[in-house]
Amino acid sequence: MKLTRSFNRSLWAFHFNSGSCNGCEIEIVAVITPRYDPERFGIKLVGTPRHADVLIITGPVVKKMKDRLLRVYAQIPEPKVVMCVGTCGISGGVFYDSYNLEGPVDEVIPVDVYVPGCPPRPEAIIHGVVTALTKLERLQEGKP
Amino acid sequence: MIGSWELALIVLSAVIVTVYGIVVGLFLLGIDRKLAAHMQARVGPPIRQPFIDLRKLLIKENVVPDNAIAWIFNLAPVVALASSIVILLYLPIGSIYPPLGAYGDLILVMYLLTIPALCMVAGGFASGSPYASIGAQREMVTMIAYEFPLAIVVVAVAWRLAAAGIQDPFTLGSIAAHPIWSVAGPLGIVGGLLLLLVMAAVTPAELSRIPFDTQEAETELAGGLLVEYSGKNLAMFSLSQGVKTLVMAAIVVAIFIPWNISSLVLLPEGVALVADLLFFLGKVILVMFFSVSLVRVAMARFQINQVVSVFWIYLGLIGLVGLLLLMADAALPAAGVII
Amino acid sequence: MSEGEGKKAPYTLPIGPTHPALKEPVMFTFQMEGETIKDVDFAPGQTHRGIEWMGMRRNPVQIVHLTDRICGICGVVHTLSFCLAVEQIAEIEVPERADYIRVIVHELERVQSHLLWAGVAAHELGFDSLLHLTWRVREQAMDVIENITGNRVNYGIVQVGGVRRDITPEQHPLIEECLTTYEGLLSSLLDLFLDDRSIHMRCRDRGILTYDDAVHLCTVGPTSRASGVNMDLRQDYPYAAYGDLDVRAILPDQYAGETRGDVYDRIVVRLLEVGQSCGIIRQCLSEMPAGEITAEPKIAKLLAVCKKAHGEAIGRVEAPRGECLHYVRMDGKESPTSWKVKASSYSNLMSWIPMLRGEQIADIPIIVASIDPCLSCTDRVAVIRGGRRNILTKEELHRLSVEATRRLQA
Amino acid sequence: MTGTILTPEEVVDRFSAKFGTGIQEASIREKREGKKKIPHYTIWIELDRELLRPAIQALIEIRYPHLSVIAGNDLGDSIRLVYIFSIQYGEIRSEYMVTLAVTLPKDDLFVPTISDLIPGAVFGEREKQEFFGVTVTGIPDGRRLFLPRDFPEGVYPWRRDETGIPDSMIRDLWASKRPTDRPAPPVEEKEACEIEGGEEKPAEPRGKGEEEGSQ
Amino acid sequence: MSSLPMIPELLRQLMRKPATNLFPAKYLPPSVTEFLHSVASGKAHLTPPVKTPPKFRGKIEYQKDGCIGCGLCVKVCPSHAIELLPETKRIRIWVDQCIFCSQCTDMCPKGGLRMTDEFLLATEDRYEENLIVE
């Protein structure tokens, strides 16, 4: 399967909350509102993983959510990009030790782009998209 | 019998119309998104975004769920797209006479219009997801709901034209050639306006747009009918969505605003053709803006029973009043009453 | 009526935990008949992180930042009620100026939270333009909050003993400007939400919670006020600077002349509270006393004071969603021995059952959203432990990573 | 919303008059905040398990209370449940918190349900069943609330004894994939300062002694 | 239009300028990588993000020269992001773990920790050099 540039310009995102505090959720919704509006880059939030190209995950993975996260990840058709938004999904952050967390997101599924911040500002999330795009472009040029 | 030359012409024009329908349909979707975004104080996507989305969907993996009935699941989008394109062949585009105009009329178009919807129902049921099944049920209910006012519009217009002694009142060609406004008197014009209103309300339902998008309701059914679709199949559905937008707008244009530049201003033939096409596009965009874009950003979604009551009670009544007015309009001059 | 509606056999419809209608994970099971809901059951606890347990292993200064992240929307209320409890145990007297700054941030949070809710509710109804509109105007409150606290969400401004940052005179005009905007916007927002025919159709008489149910199910905040229960901690049990301000609970009959306890009334209450909050902030700004902003600026000393404290106490505040309560018990150790968080949604979740019974599928999103559920608040306590076997082994993880690289390079 | 407004003292008096020695301890705590220092009160009552239901009945006679939450402590050989109510809400500045605390010995861990008196209590009672292992007799809906069905029996997360969360269940997220062999960057030679406080390993805030001491 | 009050509002907005802040560019450039290169070399203009307020809490900055290795920051850090390096008596901050609460900067007796304005930290590797402050 050849990844073309049109993939980069039409990223549909599915948002998955794997146990976050809602802070990142709000900022993700804030991103789609008029002040930031990523639809100008062709990005939109979709309601089902089947339509998605990007999986946006927030929060450390709670045990109960792990299976669902894996299932959602499997449901997204190839090719796909995984973005982990917010410190606690990246490394646990403030929830650094617990008995009911499965670990940072990258212990469960591979992550392509991390967006640190607690929560990241909306622009930081857009910057995360830009980072993902540069990674895609690099891969499309055949560089590792 | 159709001669071979004529057949070749039809095939050629069908190809042209297909390309035209797809390009203009996607372009309309792009304009719709841009306008909606601007109304919401956003920049919005570039107008060519639907083309990019389509290209992307085509390279994406096409997933068929395990518990789906694969052949129906895969067939539905193809038939939906094909049938929407076929409708276009019966509709006048600008001053071009529809390629199949001689072989079908508005009644046929009405029947054809149900095919894409039926395909979505079949595809929804075949997906094997509870959300898609609920969506499919809702789609059927919606379809039944809006068929009634749509039928009233079609019948009323054709009846009025027939009463005015026009040949083949159901063919779109003759409807376009004899605008209802020029045929009817003042009462009839009021009736016609009511029918236009009904038609404007049927359009978003036909296109499953807010407030009548119960079958796809993202917040309730996670995409409803289309919940399991991805990749190529989803691309087909989004294409047929674009073509249907063009179809519905073209039907409204054909019935209610059929004028062409060339019939008003004398222009050389080639220029007239282009001018008519551009004018037609303008009319289509206008219709789409008022009956799709504006409505979908200005309203909340109805519940399914509200959809039914809106169409059967309110719009049905408005349609009937329009019909009565048109009948009165035709009957009164005939009875010798001068208004 | 049709084939779809004709099928009346009861069936079960599961919704959740990830579903676009639910901004947060919760698992619903509906017993349906056609499109009508016969019965409801739900299982919260999809996002338990064991926050209280973590808190019992950390010191109060660390817990303050943990409480901030119990919930991203109600950041300040959890911190505030935790601090109120600890201050009571350790007998720390909070400076008056800090009380006022706490109230200002608290009310700014209420403004942004209610606007946020209004937008989400509109989205649940499929009315995205209103989502875009409310969130667009909400950004101004976010800017002010960012200016005061240094972050848009998870403010981290409240600390045991006071607040961490002062509101300087240069910030006053900024806040004033924001308040003026909102006071001007309020009437048009009320028009847009409450006069809209399509919203009216979807919200009037939907998801009714009667007065008796509201009282018996212990609901709090706008949810119970919309059912006519006169209950607002800011008037009944004045904490921080609310004793100095004249706050009265907002009930829906003040706008519509009647109380029906439906979704519409909940919109009314929340929108009117935005205006009320603006008034409170204005009053606070003008009456704010000068002085210290914290009882103990030296954090090391503060920790020592907390370490010596013995006893138990309750901190309670009126969050945007209703009463938020923290019970803390400290026994002379660095970390508290008991810490129980009662988020506002914890009290409100039970009200879903009477609200949803007899309604339609289409009403689920708006009714669920109408209590403004905040599940990350509610779920913080319980433990979800090893529910299922770990399906993913190390090899599989490796395989996934390899695939990930391949799929991008393909 | 009508009826006389009681002062906190009157509330306590009513309880002591009604239950006599069944009330082990009753105190009123006052807190004043803001410029005007308007007080608010919390009434703490320790009582026998048998009196819990009658006491709530007595509260309902005063005014239908709002049950905020049921909190609890593990006191070593017993579990103490704290029922936190507020009464007289809706009366300007006259709402009081009333906490009724019952102590339940660990070898006889049960408490009667109050959900017939206050339907909203079911949530809290279900939660106490799973988290403290307290049996709530007569609970209408005894299913687990937050915990999954296959949660190990006999592990109660809020207990501080051997039935609490074992160390094997704890997971350190911060250590995930963190490189451990990263050398410390060189420092310009100055006087290396003493570590204040004499903490041996401050990078490990979970002090071991503290954890053991609390068990 | 009294029953649909949104319509006049929408039509008015159609005539106005969108409220969008065009960070980093209005539409996606044909190649993001090239765009970023030309921004870096000053050839293209990048619309900046919404301005951060004066005391914004961004990525942390550490002056290790003044540090006395007292470990107070480690003690108050709520997210276990700071590690004391015993060999050099300095600290190391794992930014991927930092929650930007600014508690350590308040705590530091020597004022060696400071929050900067930098918040665009998205990365492909959470342990990259940029996200380790030492």
Side-chain angles (χ1 to χ4, degrees), chain C residues 99-368:
Chain C
D99 280 338
Y100 275 79
I101 294 175
R102 285 174 172 190
V103 168
I104 290 172
V105 179
H106 193 7
E107 292 300 329
L108 275 172
E109 176 176 85
R110 196 184 311 278
V111 170
Q112 68 92 353
S113 172
H114 282 340
L115 287 175
L116 172 149
W117 176 83
V120 169
H123 174 68
E124 304 292 7
L125 292 172
F127 206 150
D128 278 354
S129 303
L130 268 182
L131 165 81
H132 288 301
L133 186 106
T134 46
W135 283 63
R136 192 176 87 219
V137 297
R138 176 178 169 268
E139 285 295 326
Q140 194 167 356
M142 299 306 281
D143 283 348
V144 170
I145 289 173
E146 193 181 29
N147 204 296
I148 296 175
T149 69
N151 205 1
R152 287 162 55 92
V153 182
N154 295 340
Y155 320 130
I157 187 163
V158 178
Q159 182 56 277
V160 177
V163 291
R164 288 173 63 201
R165 287 188 185 187
D166 201 357
I167 294 181
T168 56
E170 300 88 71
Q171 284 168 332
H172 280 238
L174 197 77
I175 305 173
E176 293 278 353
E177 190 193 335
C178 168
L179 296 179
T180 317
T181 317
Y182 285 132
E183 280 159 352
L185 262 172
L186 191 66
S187 67
S188 74
L189 270 181
L190 283 169
D191 280 350
L192 290 177
F193 272 93
L194 302 177
D195 290 350
D196 192 288
R197 190 76 207 139
S198 55
I199 292 185
H200 195 276
M201 275 169 83
R202 290 294 308 275
C203 296
R204 218 22 165 168
D205 296 326
R206 303 283 158 192
I208 289 179
L209 183 71
T210 59
Y211 180 92
D212 284 347
D213 275 344
V215 169
H216 290 147
L217 292 174
C218 308
T219 57
V220 293
T223 311
S224 66
R225 288 198 282 275
S227 296
V229 185
N230 187 348
M231 171 197 256
D232 190 327
L233 288 183
R234 295 174 296 168
Q235 77 174 6
D236 300 338
Y237 190 80
Y239 55 94
Y242 286 112
D244 306 349
L245 313 160
D246 212 22
V247 185
R248 290 291 173 270
I250 292 216
L251 297 172
D253 54 356
Q254 291 164 4
Y255 178 82
E258 55 173 346
T259 303
R260 296 201 201 172
D262 53 9
V263 175
Y264 191 83
D265 279 348
R266 280 166 224 143
I267 303 181
V268 171
V269 169
R270 291 209 172 83
L271 287 182
L272 290 182
E273 281 187 10
V274 172
Q276 184 192 31
S277 294
C278 291
I280 293 174
I281 299 170
R282 216 174 262 282
Q283 206 181 340
C284 281
L285 282 177
S286 61
E287 292 174 13
M288 192 156 62
E292 288 297 310
I293 56 161
T294 173
E296 184 51 76
K298 291 231 160 45
I299 303 289
K301 236 171 162 181
L302 183 75
L303 281 173
V305 171
C306 290
K307 200 171 175 177
K308 273 186 270 166
H310 273 273
E312 59 184 346
I314 298 165
R316 254 175 124 206
V317 303
E318 180 74 23
R321 285 154 191 76
E323 174 206 57
C324 165
L325 183 146
H326 282 225
Y327 165 86
V328 183
R329 183 189 172 109
M330 299 184 67
D331 286 328
K333 292 202 195 78
E334 199 159 62
S335 32
T337 25
S338 290
W339 179 32
K340 169 81 188 120
V341 181
K342 202 275 307 191
S344 0
S345 303
Y346 182 96
S347 306
N348 283 338
L349 292 188
M350 291 271 277
S351 64
W352 270 335
I353 294 171
M355 278 184 203
L356 282 166
R357 233 174 242 152
E359 299 291 353
Q360 298 208 335
I361 298 182
D363 296 325
I364 295 172
I366 183 65
I367 292 176
V368 168

Side-chain angles (χ1 to χ4, degrees), chain E residues 64-81:
Chain E
K64 77 177 162 199
D65 291 344
C67 182
I68 52 170
C70 65
L72 278 174
C73 48
V74 181
K75 196 171 165 53
V76 293
C77 178
S79 70
H80 209 285

Side-chain angles (χ1 to χ4, degrees), chain C residues 41 48 57 84 99 216 230 235-236 238 243-244 287 312 316 323 337-338 346 382-385 387, chain D residues 29 34-36 38 40 64 68 73 80 90 93 97 120 127 131 143 146-147 150-151 157 160 169 206:
Chain C
D41 191 23
H48 292 314
R57 295 150 63 98
L84 288 175
D99 280 338
H216 290 147
N230 187 348
Q235 77 174 6
D236 300 338
D244 306 349
E287 292 174 13
E312 59 184 346
R316 254 175 124 206
E323 174 206 57
T337 25
S338 290
Y346 182 96
V383 196
I384 298 307
R385 163 66 215 173
Chain D
R29 245 177 280 159
K35 277 197 293 192
K36 289 189 190 157
I38 288 174
H40 55 74
Y64 196 89
S68 292
N73 320 117
R80 179 168 167 269
R93 292 170 189 171
M97 309 239 40
E127 191 191 41
F131 287 97
R143 286 176 303 157
F146 291 114
L147 301 183
D150 47 359
F151 187 83
R160 287 177 168 270
M169 285 170 89
R206 297 184 284 114

Side-chain angles (χ1 to χ4, degrees), chain A residues 60 63-64 88 91-92 95-104 106-107 114, chain D residues 145-148 157-158 165-166 169-177 205-206:
Chain A
K63 296 229 151 128
K64 217 176 188 175
C88 58
S91 61
F95 314 116
Y96 57 83
D97 60 341
S98 178
Y99 44 78
N100 65 330
L101 296 179
E102 198 59 57
D106 61 4
E107 293 234 328
Y114 301 88
Chain D
L145 179 64
F146 291 114
L147 301 183
W158 290 353
I165 296 288
M169 285 170 89
I170 303 169
R171 178 151 186 167
D172 283 326
L173 272 73
W174 59 269
S176 163
K177 297 186 183 174
R206 297 184 284 114

Side-chain angles (χ1 to χ4, degrees), chain E residues 50-101:
Chain E
V50 176
K51 207 170 166 300
T52 54
K55 282 157 89 183
F56 179 74
R57 310 202 300 254
K59 187 184 155 193
I60 199 160
E61 195 181 71
Y62 171 49
Q63 297 289 332
K64 77 177 162 199
D65 291 344
C67 182
I68 52 170
C70 65
L72 278 174
C73 48
V74 181
K75 196 171 165 53
V76 293
C77 178
S79 70
H80 209 285
I82 309 178
E83 185 185 3
L84 195 74
L85 304 171
E87 310 95 300
T88 54
K89 298 208 170 56
R90 295 291 183 272
I91 58 166
R92 171 186 294 153
I93 302 143
W94 302 90
V95 179
D96 75 319
Q97 188 106 22
C98 175
I99 57 165
F100 308 92
C101 65

Side-chain angles (χ1 to χ4, degrees), chain B residues 34-35 38-46 48 289 294 297-299, chain E residues 4 6-7 9-11 13-14 16-20 22 26-28:
Chain B
K34 189 84 189 166
L35 283 172
H38 262 277
M39 281 189 272
Q40 294 168 338
R42 299 184 287 129
V43 168
R48 65 199 170 92
F289 174 71
L294 185 60
V297 293
M299 283 182 88
Chain E
L4 288 175
M6 198 66 192
I7 288 184
E9 176 71 33
L10 290 169
L11 291 177
Q13 188 53 51
L14 190 61
R16 284 193 208 136
K17 227 174 142 244
T20 309
L22 301 173
K26 187 169 179 186
Y27 294 117
L28 214 54

Side-chain angles (χ1 to χ4, degrees), chain B residues 82-93:
Chain B
S83 57
S84 345
I85 291 171
V86 167
I87 306 173
L88 264 189
L89 296 177
Y90 291 94
L91 300 178
I93 295 165

